Amino acid sequence: MLKITDLKVNYGGIEAVKGISLEVPEGEVVTLIGANGAGKSTTLRTIAGLVKPAGGRVEFMGEDITGKDPTSIVKKGITLVPEGRKIFPDLTVLENLKIGAYMRKDDLTDDLNWVYDLFPRLKERHWQAGGTLSGGEQQMLAVGRALMSRPKLIMMDEPSLGLAPLIVRGIFDIIREIHKQGVTILLIEQNANMALQAADMGYVMETGRITLSGPGQELLTNEAVKAAYLGA
Amino acid sequence: MLQQEKSKKGSFIALICIAALLALVVLVENLGALVPNLPSVLRPTSQLFIVLKKGAVYSLVAVSMNLLNGFTGLFSLGQAGFMLLGAYTYAILTVPMANKDQVYYLFGGSAVKFSLQELFGGLFGNTGVGGAVSLVLGVLVALILAGLVAAFFAWLIGLPVLRLKSDYLAIATLGFAEILRAIFQWQKLGPVTNGANMIKSFPTFSSFNVQNADGEVVLRLSTFVPFLVAVVCIAVIVLLITSSYGRAFKAIREDEIAAEAMGINLAKHKSLSFCISSFFAGVGGALFAMYATNAQAKAFTSTMTYEILLIVVIGGIGSISGSCIATFLYVACSEWWLRFLDTPVILDSGFQIPLLRDGFRMVVFSIIIMIVVLFFRKGIMGEKELPDLFRKRKKKAAPAAAAGEEGSSNG
């Protein structure tokens, strides 16, 4: 579904991504793990069109989308859940969700109900300002907002960031649930254990390069990954 | 469903309130003809009507600034510049042919060889009902053109300037307004802008007072007209803010990166907001020229922008009704209620009350503003609108009922 070939990105004068290739097959959860500054977020931001690549190729459903603007990329069905949630704090939960569907002009009722079914908490609080939600609820809102654009591929940038372990488990349950409903997911995580358990396919990224890849379960038992990311 | 019905009911109530307000303005203005021996406050010459007219004009400009600063989060200080563009566009296009030579006497007449209301006069006639129709149409078209000219320049300026953020944008737009002011006073442009002199003799608010054959005023509409224009324009802005465009503007204000990630085209929406805000500032500028009965570049200084910024801040950044309320309070204080502080008073005993002298009004005014800013950190209204105040009270009074309602709508 999404195919990246030899992608290079310069970010503030630094070569943040030094030619990576990866593939996200339709209907799968693919995760990209790695330490801080490995270039994971930059990769996602480049796919979303927020950063222009210096070289390489991004293909989505057989179409070249390299360097396209974010508006047309969202229209094609790729949505990013940004790092640190980035919900709109002064807008209500409902308004936040509606902005997620900004590129669509059709009826939103079904999708609103879908998101409310996934996150009943958001329905309870639909009139509340986004900024008054707890961290976990804000993450739910960020995911719900992205789902409102009815994406084919949803990219999540560290959804577990700054959340309590119990909440993190809840977030991963939701990721599995969304996946079950047919949305393809590209997930970035520092919480390698949780991410690899949920993923069909995993890539390990180090200083701008992909150093290791394989099925999620396989990477979980890989000695090098264990030593570097799983703390075992 | 429930919510939609509620908001429909809400907008219906709002519509009635606005209609009632407009009717009240007409009534108050014409009380003099209906009731003899009116208290001087309500007589047509009263300061009250000056405040109402200027308040209507300023509230439109304040709301247009709020659209940009409060809802889109673009801190622009170019408002006076766009008002200037609007004022001059209106004035240049509506000076009657008969007055052109007199107004432009330094430059041997105007380069603009027509006036809009007389163009319409050619179609509908220049006297009686036809004359009224052509006056209304001429002024209306001139107002719209005033807005369009301001919006066009906003688009042009926006191309480079909207890439800047916060303070830098403010400095750039402020500079733009100052440049405009200088250009419009340039003698070489005299045949169009009348150089550093003012343009006058164009239709003003009092041109809309209905006169009988003897030239006596039978129906005063001079306060109603600015109110009507301001209400219509503000209503358009409110509709815009509650639309999906308004949501996108607010999203940009809250978080540009997230807004962009949602597919909102930042450049397009910022430019749109800037142009719309400037359009209404331009219309406001034209109304200001009508209020002042002349258009001169000297009037549109950065002080004017600061005045409007002050109003927006006092009313509450992000609150339309706050801007409107603050405008009338501000204008009433500066033009009317505090006037007495400027006149020295000498008692019968020969004792002169200290401090009361020219300029003291502004001292007191500044102190009042400081107090307001200290005690209402987020402005009078914060981010709330007038109807929110009633809604909140209801919720507090009956939380149980509200919870029950919520439950039933879930099921």
Side-chain angles (χ1 to χ4, degrees):
Chain A
M1 183 180 226
L2 181 78
K3 195 174 171 205
I4 296 173
T5 335
D6 196 29
L7 185 73
K8 292 191 182 87
V9 190
N10 297 334
Y11 207 54
I14 299 164
E15 206 179 10
V17 177
K18 299 168 184 163
I20 63 164
S21 300
L22 62 86
E23 208 168 329
V24 184
E26 185 155 5
E28 290 198 358
V29 179
V30 174
T31 184
L32 195 57
I33 60 173
N36 276 335
K40 309 181 304 276
S41 289
T42 309
T43 307
L44 281 208
R45 290 165 60 88
T46 311
I47 300 170
L50 296 169
V51 181
K52 300 280 170 263
R57 194 175 153 84
V58 183
E59 246 175 75
F60 182 63
M61 324 244 321
E63 197 181 339
D64 184 12
I65 58 162
T66 323
K68 284 252 167 68
D69 60 295
T71 308
S72 46
I73 287 174
V74 171
K75 264 189 197 156
K76 291 203 190 324
I78 304 180
T79 307
L80 172 70
V81 181
E83 185 178 4
R85 305 183 267 279
K86 299 231 182 252
I87 53 140
F88 305 112
D90 284 341
L91 302 187
T92 64
V93 169
L94 184 62
E95 281 178 307
N96 265 284
L97 291 175
K98 281 186 176 170
I99 286 173
Y102 187 70
M103 296 317 297
R104 293 173 38 200
K105 303 293 169 212
D106 48 339
D107 189 44
L108 303 178
T109 323
D110 288 348
D111 300 80
L112 261 182
N113 287 334
W114 177 43
V115 170
Y116 281 160
D117 281 345
L118 279 172
F119 309 104
R121 191 60 73 80
L122 293 186
K123 183 169 188 175
E124 281 167 34
R125 314 212 151 178
H126 69 92
W127 51 271
Q128 229 173 291
T132 62
L133 301 179
S134 74
E137 289 164 348
Q138 287 191 15
Q139 188 63 58
M140 290 178 191
L141 180 55
V143 174
R145 184 180 63 182
L147 288 176
M148 286 299 288
S149 68
R150 214 184 277 165
K152 297 186 183 89
L153 169 69
I154 186 167
M155 304 192 291
M156 300 190 196
D157 196 342
E158 303 226 14
S160 74
L161 189 76
L163 297 179
L166 197 66
I167 312 275
V168 171
R169 207 163 303 156
I171 295 288
F172 274 93
D173 286 343
I174 285 159
I175 291 172
R176 285 196 193 92
E177 180 61 34
I178 296 168
H179 173 227
K180 231 183 261 167
Q181 302 201 10
V183 183
T184 312
I185 297 168
L186 175 56
L187 177 69
I188 279 186
E189 262 303 334
Q190 288 198 47
N191 190 337
N193 192 15
M194 291 294 270
L196 288 174
Q197 277 178 22
D200 299 305
M201 186 72 187
Y203 290 85
V204 179
M205 203 165 169
E206 267 170 57
T207 55
R209 287 200 178 81
I210 285 178
T211 50
L212 205 61
S213 66
Q217 295 301 326
E218 206 172 276
L219 286 183
L220 265 179
T221 52
N222 182 301
E223 290 304 323
V225 173
K226 263 189 186 170
Y229 302 106
L230 301 175
Chain B
M1 266 311 271
L2 201 71
Q3 216 145 35
Q4 251 166 12
E5 269 165 41
K6 255 189 206 161
S7 71
K8 237 179 219 167
K9 199 175 148 200
S11 38
F12 187 62
I13 294 173
L15 215 61
I16 291 178
C17 289
I18 290 167
L21 174 78
L22 289 174
L24 185 73
V25 169
V26 178
L27 182 70
V28 170
E29 204 177 5
N30 288 290
L31 266 186
L34 304 171
V35 187
N37 299 326
L38 217 55
S40 66
V41 183
L42 293 172
R43 293 213 185 112
T45 49
S46 161
Q47 201 73 26
L48 171 70
F49 294 103
I50 293 179
V51 168
L52 287 178
K53 283 172 201 163
K54 193 176 178 187
V57 175
Y58 264 43
S59 52
L60 172 58
V61 183
V63 169
S64 82
M65 191 178 204
N66 210 342
L67 171 69
L68 195 61
N69 290 9
F71 288 92
T72 321
L74 295 172
F75 188 40
S76 152
L77 289 178
Q79 228 62 5
F82 295 114
M83 285 176 77
L84 180 145
L85 281 170
Y88 268 88
T89 307
Y90 174 81
I92 290 166
L93 292 175
T94 55
V95 175
M97 288 310 291
N99 300 79
K100 291 232 171 183
D101 287 341
Q102 180 208 338
V103 171
Y104 288 91
Y105 73 97
L106 280 176
F107 301 96
S110 165
V112 181
K113 300 285 181 217
F114 63 90
S115 81
L116 281 173
Q117 71 275 30
E118 283 164 333
L119 284 186
F120 283 107
L123 289 173
F124 301 103
N126 277 320
T127 50
V129 179
V133 171
S134 29
L135 174 70
V136 171
L137 282 178
V139 169
L140 190 67
V141 171
L143 284 179
I144 292 170
L145 285 175
L148 288 178
V149 167
F152 171 73
F153 273 87
W155 175 75
L156 212 62
I157 297 304
L159 291 178
V161 158
L162 286 179
R163 291 163 191 271
L164 303 171
K165 284 200 176 137
S166 61
D167 308 357
Y168 302 102
L169 176 62
I171 293 165
T173 47
L174 190 66
F176 161 69
E178 292 298 308
I179 291 168
L180 267 186
R181 197 158 57 87
I183 290 177
F184 272 75
Q185 298 191 57
W186 188 24
Q187 292 295 322
K188 290 249 167 71
L189 287 175
V192 180
T193 64
N194 209 10
N197 315 297
M198 60 173 75
I199 304 181
K200 50 182 191 244
S201 302
F202 48 78
T204 62
F205 293 146
S206 36
S207 312
F208 288 91
N209 287 337
V210 181
Q211 295 175 338
N212 62 13
D214 303 329
E216 276 175 51
V217 175
V218 282
L219 180 66
R220 287 182 187 280
L221 293 173
S222 60
T223 313
F224 170 73
V225 168
F227 262 82
L228 182 68
V229 177
V231 161
V232 169
C233 291
I234 291 172
V236 171
I237 295 176
V238 169
L239 287 178
L240 178 81
I241 285 169
T242 48
S243 75
S244 67
Y245 279 108
R247 265 201 300 279
F249 291 162
K250 285 188 234 171
I252 292 172
R253 172 191 71 189
E254 306 265 303
D255 197 316
E256 287 196 7
I257 294 170
E260 202 178 8
M262 292 301 110
I264 295 171
N265 186 332
L266 289 186
K268 187 183 130 197
H269 283 83
K270 281 182 177 180
S271 166
L272 191 69
S273 173
F274 195 45
C275 288
I276 293 172
S277 166
S278 303
F279 176 89
F280 289 110
V283 174
L287 290 177
F288 185 82
M290 292 171 88
Y291 158 79
T293 71
N294 64 60
Q296 55 177 335
K298 267 178 252 160
F300 300 95
T301 54
S302 49
T303 318
M304 191 180 231
T305 305
Y306 298 143
E307 250 184 339
I308 293 155
L309 179 66
L310 192 64
I311 289 170
V312 172
V313 171
I314 290 177
I317 294 174
S319 168
I320 299 288
S321 41
S323 290
C324 295
I325 294 168
T327 306
F328 283 97
L329 289 178
Y330 179 91
V331 173
C333 280
S334 66
E335 300 278 328
W336 187 18
W337 295 339
L338 298 179
R339 278 276 172 202
F340 73 95
L341 293 170
D342 268 4
T343 40
V345 178
I346 298 167
L347 298 179
D348 291 339
S349 57
F351 175 74
Q352 183 178 0
I353 297 178
L355 295 175
L356 289 190
R357 67 173 67 111
D358 208 27
F360 185 56
R361 173 176 61 116
M362 293 320 285
V363 177
V364 175
F365 194 39
S366 311
I367 293 170
I368 292 177
I369 287 169
M370 277 190 249
I371 292 171
V372 169
V373 172
L374 275 177
F375 287 94
F376 296 89
R377 288 278 164 85
K378 296 187 90 182
I380 300 172
M381 300 291 288
E383 267 189 27
K384 295 188 183 73
E385 296 294 348
L386 208 49
D388 294 344
L389 297 181
F390 300 108
R391 225 170 276 152
K392 273 277 147 60
R393 208 171 293 161
K394 235 187 249 165
K395 235 175 213 157
K396 261 183 201 157
E405 205 177 83
E406 201 75 52
S408 64
S409 69
N410 281 354

